[in-house]
Structures are given as C-alpha cells and as structure tokens.
Amino acid sequence: MITLRLNHQQHAFLQTVVDRDAHLGDIGDLVRAALQDAPAHALAGVVRPESPAPPRRTPVREHILEPGTGKAFEVSAGQVVRIAQIEGHQCVDLNVFSLSDRRERLHAGRTRGMQGPHPGPGDVLWSNAPWERPIMAITGGTASTDTQFPFCSRLIYSAFFGLHDRTNCQEIQNEAQREYGLDPWDLHESLNLFMHTATGPGGEAVIRRNQARPGDHLELVALLDLLVVPNVCGDDLSNCSNFGLRPVRVTIEEGRGEDARSARAARDRAVVLGLPRPREIPGPRPLRRDPGYMAAFPHLPLRAADVRVELGEALAGRFRRARDTTLYGDDDAAALRDITLSWAIERLGAFAGND
Ligand SMILES: [Zn+2]
C-alpha cells in the first residue's frame, strides 16, 4: 500500500477526472494508470549550488505567508524586501502600488518590454503610464522570475478543471490588498517569482516544474514609498509550484549604502538617456491602511484528503524508476502526487503544453 497525500481541492479534481473517464472506477485506478504510463526518471531535477545567505541588515519586519494567503507591506524608499523559499518549489505572485497614489502600480508588460521576460538582479520594475518610471530595483537573489503568465484566477480553474470554489491568486490578492482599501479591479498583472518558464516546441512560453530550493530568494529595493503585496500562488494543480501550496518568508530590512548603490546602478542602466519630464496628475489617491481590517482569505482551511492505494510489486517498481531524487529528494509523497496529478491533467486535456 502507498499513500497519495492530497488536499481536498486536489481530491475533488481527481474525482472529476474519474467521473469523466469510463476506464477509471476510483482514484486508486487513476494512480495505477498514471504509474503504468510513467517513464523512467519522469521527474527531472536540476542540481544547482546552494543559495548564498543574504547580507546582514537592520530588520524592520518579518512575516510568514501561509499557503492560501498574501499580505500587504508598506515599504519606504530605500528599504529592502526579500522574498524567500522555506521548503522550496513555491511560486509567488507580486503586486506593487505607489503609496502616494494607488493609480500608479507595477506594469508587468512595460517591465517585460524594458528588461526582458525574466527580470533579475541589476534590473528594475517599471510602473504604468502616465508615470512610467522605475519603482523597484532587483539587487540580489537566486529566484527565477517571469512576466509572461497572468495570475491564476477563478476563471482558470472553472474553465480548465471544472472546479468553481478553490484557492487562486486573484482572490488571494484581492483579500490581501483589501487591507489598504484596494478594490478587486485594482489587480494588475503580477510579477511571477520562482516560476520556471521555458520556450515550447512552437516557440510559445511554457511553465516547467518548479526548481526553487529552500533559501532561494529575491531582494528588491524600493525606489519610492510603496505598498508591496506578495501572495503564495493558489495553484496546486500544475507544475508551477509542483502541485503544492507551501509557506514563504517575507523580510523587510533597512537598506545599506551598498544596497542604495546597487539600486541606483540598476536604475541608471535601465533609464540610459533620461526619463520624460514628470506630468502633474491631478487628484492623487494615497493608500491608507483600514484599521478595522480582519484578514478573511477564501477557500481555507485546506483539508487533508489522503488516498491509500494498493500498488503491487510491478507498479511499486515503476514508481521507484520514475521518481527522481534531485527534484523531490526522499519525499515519496510529493513524487507520487506529481506523477498522479500530471497524468490526470494530461488525460483531461487541461493546460496543454506544460510539463
Ligand atoms: Zn497563482
């Protein structure tokens, strides 16, 4: 016997696949079919050097983002925000707004256009028109980033998975930024942190299995006073976060002279020949915390919904050959969940193109 460790959302998805497939009687049948089809070394991993420890600075605030949640942080110009993996494999969506005017916010498209699809250390994040200026500088870290994929939303899970009530970045962001009076339509395209993307056979962008390790992080210096809103991606049905929701650490620290110099160098490199003259934008709408805010994230708590499966000797052997120690280490449960959910998603025809 082997245990397939799931949460109730993943269980509901697998039950949907079983209900639509005449060849499958229950989730145990689905697991056995997935293992029967699993090629040897199906779970590729990349061995990379350990992530170097971040430099010492004066701490301002630290917060653990729990699965299914996000948080809005006020960050003053010059302070450093670090977003770091605890367990690894977790994608994070990042929204950023100007504290002095909620209408100015991170523009993922402009950032992609100016810095390329995967901004990293030495790049800046740009705001929307008519401001269009660097608002944060990435000064260090080991995280992969992406600007090509929109946040996961209620739509995605309804359209592709038939699930109408489950965690998603759209609703998590909405709830986190409600603390500062931002409305549901104040969501902008996220900067995707720790997302591993590549180019597919037709030249299209595809999401690959998440390679983030414990300690991987990204450091960003605020170039103006900001509201920075990261959230743990609500997607536990794709390789984006390797079929799980895991906690992430957010740290805000006072910037050192070295951080200011790195931020200035990134800004100067991005701007090259200067910015257009700032225009007077009437009626600024500053952001203020709602003192009565009580966080109420939807779709929580996530409940365990494990399934015990009888494998037999032959399928147990296939599982041993399929799992890859570089990606999941000795975590058999994570490997089995990946093989099973990957197979089910391909069977359903959802999210074609990812692997
Ligand atoms: Zn998401």
Side-chain angles (χ1 to χ4, degrees):
M1 291 286 264
I2 192 165
T3 300
L4 176 64
R5 295 207 182 284
L6 302 172
N7 64 43
H8 73 277
Q9 305 186 143
Q10 295 167 324
H11 189 283
F13 168 66
L14 291 181
Q15 192 59 54
T16 301
V17 177
V18 167
D19 290 346
R20 291 166 58 99
D21 195 324
H23 297 100
L24 302 172
D26 60 19
I27 291 176
D29 285 346
L30 191 154
V31 173
R32 287 185 285 271
L35 287 174
Q36 191 62 50
D37 289 349
H41 311 298
L43 307 177
V46 179
V47 179
R48 290 184 294 145
E50 280 295 301
S51 177
R56 285 192 182 281
R57 304 186 185 90
T58 307
V60 175
R61 189 167 181 191
E62 182 172 286
H63 181 89
I64 304 294
L65 290 178
E66 295 295 341
T69 75
K71 181 76 181 160
F73 301 94
E74 289 187 33
V75 182
S76 302
Q79 289 182 335
V80 180
V81 181
R82 180 169 57 256
I83 302 173
Q85 296 287 319
I86 297 173
E87 300 174 16
H89 297 180
Q90 182 58 55
C91 182
V92 173
D93 278 37
L94 181 67
N95 276 215
V96 185
F97 301 85
S98 165
L99 264 183
S100 60
D101 193 339
R102 67 184 60 200
R103 298 171 300 179
E104 183 180 12
R105 52 197 61 177
L106 168 63
H107 195 287
R110 178 62 66 214
T111 302
R112 182 171 61 244
M114 297 293 280
Q115 315 288 174
H118 310 291
D123 290 330
V124 297
L125 308 184
W126 291 80
S127 63
N128 56 329
W131 294 271
E132 291 198 303
R133 56 179 171 168
I135 55 171
M136 296 195 95
I138 304 176
T139 52
T142 48
S144 53
T145 69
D146 174 79
T147 56
Q148 303 168 101
F149 284 88
F151 52 82
C152 66
S153 69
R154 297 171 66 221
L155 165 71
I156 299 297
Y157 300 104
S158 287
F160 293 157
F161 300 100
L163 302 173
H164 310 294
D165 173 22
R166 49 153 292 118
T167 53
N168 61 83
C169 286
Q170 172 201 0
E171 290 182 289
I172 298 170
Q173 272 288 333
N174 285 169
E175 178 54 25
Q177 65 191 42
R178 189 174 66 80
E179 184 171 2
Y180 282 78
L182 286 159
D183 286 305
W185 46 89
D186 284 319
L187 209 50
H188 65 68
E189 286 294 315
S190 308
L191 176 67
N192 303 311
L193 307 182
F194 309 103
M195 184 185 270
H196 180 202
T197 55
T199 304
E204 74 283 13
V206 292
I207 301 174
R208 303 292 193 199
R209 284 192 174 85
N210 195 306
Q211 304 291 334
R213 305 151 302 172
D216 272 343
H217 62 271
L218 200 68
E219 291 191 334
L220 307 105
V221 174
L223 300 176
L224 51 149
D225 293 346
L226 296 171
L227 190 71
V228 174
V229 194
N231 78 267
V232 172
C233 175
D235 180 3
D236 56 12
L237 289 177
S238 86
N239 51 15
C240 184
S241 296
N242 293 349
F243 307 95
L245 302 178
R246 305 169 189 83
V248 170
R249 179 176 286 110
V250 180
T251 311
I252 298 166
E253 297 168 327
E254 298 295 354
R256 309 160 302 162
E258 202 176 325
D259 299 313
R261 279 191 292 280
S262 300
R264 201 175 312 119
R267 183 196 172 283
D268 291 349
R269 190 161 44 244
V271 168
V272 189
L273 293 180
L275 292 169
R277 200 174 321 121
R279 283 164 47 182
E280 193 62 37
I281 314 291
R285 299 183 59 204
L287 286 166
R288 293 210 175 78
R289 185 174 182 276
D290 171 3
Y293 172 81
M294 296 274 285
F297 289 95
H299 317 299
L300 299 180
L302 296 167
R303 300 182 302 279
D306 295 349
V307 179
R308 297 277 288 164
V309 183
E310 186 63 62
L311 284 192
E313 201 46 50
L315 280 181
R318 290 199 77 88
F319 178 51
R320 281 195 297 276
R321 284 192 292 278
R323 68 182 310 321
D324 186 287
T325 53
T326 57
L327 186 64
Y328 290 118
D330 57 3
D331 192 346
D332 275 349
L336 184 64
R337 191 165 54 240
D338 183 322
I339 290 169
T340 302
L341 283 163
S342 296
W343 185 91
I345 288 161
E346 199 177 314
R347 186 81 159 191
L348 198 65
F351 270 8
N354 294 349
D355 71 3

